[in-house]
Amino acid sequence: QVQLVESGGGQEQAGGSLRLSCADSGRTFSGHAMGWFRQAPGKERDFVAAISWNGRPDYADSVKGRFIISRDYAKNTVYLQMNGLKPEDTAVYYCAANIALIRTTAWPYWGQGTQVTVSS
């Protein structure tokens, strides 16, 4: 059973940084791709970044060069370091796990989400 718990959200000013964490309590972390998605009010859930089971990252164009995804196999945790935050980054951020790294939302396992609010 995969259980994902996000933490690290909050409020930040434009240009600032936040780091999100997602802990996986299951036993399949090392074999899963891990992803981050976000959903702003009234909008669809969008792909932000993901990292394959062997550490290959992928980023949405909107965050490339600003966000960094990483994973710690010893801690069963994936991180999203968010730098150069913009007001348009405001959203609920969700962690997800899947066998394959894909950019759609067809991931079977999701966390509960954590709010990120960026003020101008």
Side-chain angles (χ1 to χ4, degrees):
Q1 185 70 19
V2 176
Q3 291 186 331
L4 306 175
V5 179
E6 301 103 333
S7 60
Q11 294 186 341
E12 184 58 77
Q13 292 186 336
S17 299
L18 287 172
R19 188 176 80 156
L20 306 182
S21 301
C22 173
D24 179 355
S25 63
R27 299 181 179 180
T28 55
F29 178 81
S30 61
H32 276 153
M34 302 297 295
W36 287 97
F37 293 76
R38 66 187 181 188
Q39 188 166 18
K43 296 188 177 181
E44 295 183 347
R45 190 172 298 188
D46 291 330
F47 171 78
V48 175
I51 188 166
S52 68
W53 67 272
N54 60 350
R56 177 179 64 84
D58 187 28
Y59 299 96
D61 288 344
S62 58
V63 306
K64 195 173 295 183
R66 299 188 298 124
F67 290 10
I68 301 171
I69 189 170
S70 61
R71 63 191 300 166
D72 185 330
Y73 295 93
K75 296 182 178 180
N76 280 12
T77 299
V78 63
Y79 303 97
L80 185 67
Q81 177 66 44
M82 304 185 295
N83 303 317
L85 285 165
K86 303 176 181 180
E88 51 263 43
D89 294 320
T90 295
V92 176
Y93 283 70
Y94 295 91
C95 174
N98 191 23
I99 293 295
L101 192 165
I102 55 176
R103 289 190 167 205
T104 72
T105 57
W107 292 52
Y109 306 108
W110 293 88
Q112 81 285 356
T114 185
Q115 177 71 45
V116 171
T117 303
V118 183
S119 58
S120 58

